[in-house]
Amino acid sequence: MDAANAAKLGDYTLRVAVESHYLVLDLSGVAFFGTEGFSTLHMLNVRCAKAGVRWSMVPSAAVSRVLRICDPGGGLPAAITVDAALAASQGEPRRLLHLVKGQE
């Protein structure tokens, strides 16, 4: 994810996240992740917090590398697997959106 597609991901996830109560963003298949991607995730985190949407991501190795640098305190919600991200919801959400690898 770089400047060419970070905004597209951000626009899409924000549009559907505000209609949901919980969002799992599966980034496990992402091979490249630039700082623009981190900015998009940070913006998503802020907007989801304001909208009351619980969310989590499943990062790939590339995403995890950028998170270690840009988010050393672990402020963005991440899980090792989609199942772990779903379990973090602490209950049955009314509506679940699961964005899978390759979907835009």
Side-chain angles (χ1 to χ4, degrees):
M1 181 179 316
D2 58 18
N5 56 11
K8 185 176 179 181
L9 174 67
D11 291 344
Y12 178 77
T13 54
L14 287 173
R15 188 172 55 249
V16 295
V18 296
E19 299 171 5
S20 305
H21 293 280
Y22 191 71
L23 171 77
V24 173
L25 187 58
D26 186 351
L27 301 174
S28 62
V30 174
F32 176 80
F33 194 76
T35 55
E36 296 88 355
F38 172 76
S39 295
T40 297
L41 293 178
H42 177 70
M43 178 197 51
L44 178 65
N45 192 48
V46 170
R47 298 255 178 104
C48 282
K50 286 181 182 178
V53 176
R54 295 170 298 185
W55 80 284
S56 186
M57 73 178 123
V58 180
S60 66
V63 174
S64 293
R65 276 191 295 276
V66 173
L67 291 177
R68 280 193 299 274
I69 295 166
C70 297
D71 186 32
L76 297 180
I80 296 173
T81 65
V82 170
D83 288 339
L86 291 171
S89 70
Q90 301 176 354
E92 289 294 319
R94 230 172 29 184
R95 180 170 175 215
L96 170 68
L97 174 67
H98 173 196
L99 301 176
V100 294
K101 337 174 226 199
Q103 243 185 353
E104 295 183 24

